[in-house]
Structure formats: structure tokens, C-alpha cells
Amino acid sequence: MFESDKEYYADREYLTNSSMKMLRKSPALFNMWLKGKESIFSSTALDIGKAFHALVLEDRVDFVGFEGTRRGKEYLQFCEENKDKIVLTQKDAEMVHSMQNALNKCPEAYDLMYNANDIQQAEVAKTGEWDGIKIKGKADLLVERNFDEYFLVDVKTTGGELSEFKRSAPYMGYDQQAAFYCHLFGVERFIFVVITKSFPYDIGIYECSPSFLAKGRYKASESISMYKNLFLNGNFNPYSAAEIGIL
């Protein structure tokens, strides 16, 4: 349906999991997204995540490392010469390769993501509906096993410890993400493969439980209802208080 990534990300007809999370966080920010006016946010963490995803999911090196201070004429010239790539520090670029090496050596992760007996599809885009609302998403990895079992794998990088990821997953909206993609792709299994961004690059593998997915479906349904009420029924007021409550 979408001929390019540019067309996919420019589209506002379909809701994504990210846009639904944005709606829950700030209807005003979501309204800017709907109008195509939201600012393009970038950070070192996001850039590392994008570079790592391209490397481990599609075997693409979409990044380069810059040796030196990331400012000044030399840095700007380097960015211009590599404007089609993600520019990281040399240290971060080496870290991304080290993380890939650790992931490849982890037998459990390798079996999930690279098993020669499976069929893997990376960065798979799909459209669908949730309660009559058009939705779309791009799965990190759709795996077909034994010609009859399908499951999704999502790769996360974290600057903290694995225990922190497990504890914070519901607060980060990962339950909604898992439920959203299971619904969209018609699968029942969703597995997070998480790797820390510091030596020794610990790897955690977390399969989403039925209760975790149920909580995610509830959040997604709430998000859809909020979208309908505010933006389809015309109840959004950009000047209203974002939240009213009692402490």
C-alpha cells in the first residue's frame, strides 16, 4: 500500500501504536501529529536504536562513526558527506557492532531471530482495523515456524539493567505495543529481545503473557475510544487543561 518509508511515515489516515501512545500522553501533541506539524525528535538513544535495528534485522550498516567532538566545521562537513547515514560517535558505532556480536552469540536469541528452519520477514508493514478505526504498523520481525506457527519479535536496546526493563515495560506502553501488533498481524505470541548498551551487553528474552497482552488490549481500546471522542466527535479543545484531578 505504501510505496516508500517516506510515504508510510507521512500518512495520517491510519493510527499507529506510536501515535496512540502520543495521544495518551498529550492530545495536543497528537493533534499536531495529525496536522503534520509535530517536530522531528532525534536523540543519541534513538539514533543508536535505529542503527542497531537496521544492522541486526536487515544486515544494513546505516551508520558511520565520527572520531572527535561532534561540533565545528569538521563535524558538519562529515555529516554532509554522510547525509544518507546516521552519524554516531566512533565509540557508539563500535558499541553497535559489539552489541550485534553479542546478539549473534546468544543461542536463545539466535534461535528466535535467525533459525535456518524458519522464515523471517523484517520490517513488515501491515494495515488493519481496531473497532472500525484504520491502523497500521511495522513489525521488527515476523517469524514463520513449521509452516503453521507465527510469532513476532521486537528488538529493544536499553541503557539500564534488564531488571529495569522488565519492571518498567507496562509504564513504557510495551503492553499496548504487543497487543496492538498481535491484533494487527493476527498472532498470539509476541517476544521482546532486549540488549543492554553497556558491556557485557546482557540479553533478555521476554515473552508476553496473556495477562500482559490483556492489559495492552485494554489500553489500546482506551486509546481508540479517546481518539473517537476527541477527534472524530469534535470534542478536542487545544486550550483545555490536559488533566484535572486530585492529589
Side-chain angles (χ1 to χ4, degrees):
M1 177 178 180
F2 301 101
E3 296 183 358
S4 66
D5 282 350
K6 183 177 180 180
E7 184 180 342
Y8 175 89
Y9 289 112
D11 167 71
R12 295 296 184 268
E13 182 181 358
Y14 291 78
L15 294 186
T16 64
N17 173 65
S18 295
S19 66
M20 287 165 61
K21 286 177 64 177
M22 186 189 303
L23 172 61
R24 295 176 69 89
K25 178 182 179 181
S26 169
L29 193 61
F30 177 85
N31 184 54
M32 292 176 64
W33 174 83
L34 275 182
K35 295 179 179 180
K37 296 181 180 180
E38 86 286 4
S39 60
I40 299 175
F41 177 73
S42 182
S43 69
T44 298
L46 286 175
D47 287 343
I48 290 172
K50 290 177 183 177
F52 185 68
H53 274 69
L55 186 61
V56 303
L57 295 173
E58 301 179 90
D59 199 27
R60 288 189 294 109
V61 181
D62 276 1
F63 61 96
V64 291
F66 177 76
E67 188 72 64
T69 305
R70 296 211 296 173
R71 63 174 179 268
K73 183 178 180 180
E74 185 179 351
Y75 174 66
L76 292 176
Q77 182 178 345
F78 185 85
C79 290
E80 179 62 25
E81 293 171 352
N82 295 278
K83 57 186 177 182
D84 60 333
K85 294 184 180 297
I86 300 168
V87 177
L88 304 175
T89 65
Q90 186 61 33
K91 181 180 178 181
D92 284 343
E94 292 171 358
M95 179 188 69
V96 170
H97 284 295
S98 296
M99 290 165 65
Q100 180 201 31
N101 186 49
L103 189 68
N104 287 342
K105 290 180 177 179
C106 176
E108 298 89 351
Y110 198 90
D111 179 66
L112 280 174
M113 300 175 63
Y114 307 116
N115 192 314
N117 296 319
D118 296 338
I119 298 175
Q120 299 97 3
Q121 299 180 64
E123 296 291 336
V124 188
K126 189 172 177 59
T127 61
E129 285 191 359
W130 190 303
D131 197 18
I133 299 301
K134 293 180 179 181
I135 61 172
K136 67 177 181 181
K138 272 191 174 185
D140 277 1
L141 200 65
L142 175 64
V143 180
E144 179 184 349
R145 179 161 291 181
N146 300 325
F147 303 103
D148 63 355
E149 180 188 7
Y150 293 83
F151 60 87
L152 293 168
V153 176
D154 191 81
V155 178
K156 299 288 188 192
T157 61
T158 178
E161 299 176 357
L162 293 177
S163 59
E164 294 176 7
F165 175 87
K166 188 174 182 180
R167 184 170 55 251
S168 64
Y171 306 105
M172 296 294 292
Y174 295 150
D175 49 359
Q176 177 179 285
Q177 177 191 355
F180 179 92
Y181 279 94
C182 282
H183 174 89
L184 184 59
F185 283 85
V187 303
E188 297 181 357
R189 295 183 66 197
F190 192 101
I191 303 166
F192 288 106
V193 174
V194 186
I195 184 166
T196 60
K197 293 187 287 187
S198 59
F199 185 81
Y201 311 111
D202 292 320
I203 295 169
I205 298 174
Y206 306 102
E207 180 156 0
C208 298
S209 66
S211 61
F212 188 82
L213 291 172
K215 291 176 183 176
R217 286 192 294 272
Y218 181 78
K219 284 184 180 179
S221 294
E222 275 191 330
S223 300
I224 293 293
S225 296
M226 184 183 297
Y227 169 70
K228 288 181 176 180
N229 177 51
L230 293 178
F231 294 95
L232 295 190
N233 297 336
N235 292 320
F236 173 71
N237 181 347
Y239 303 105
S240 292
E243 187 171 308
I244 300 174
I246 299 174
L247 299 178

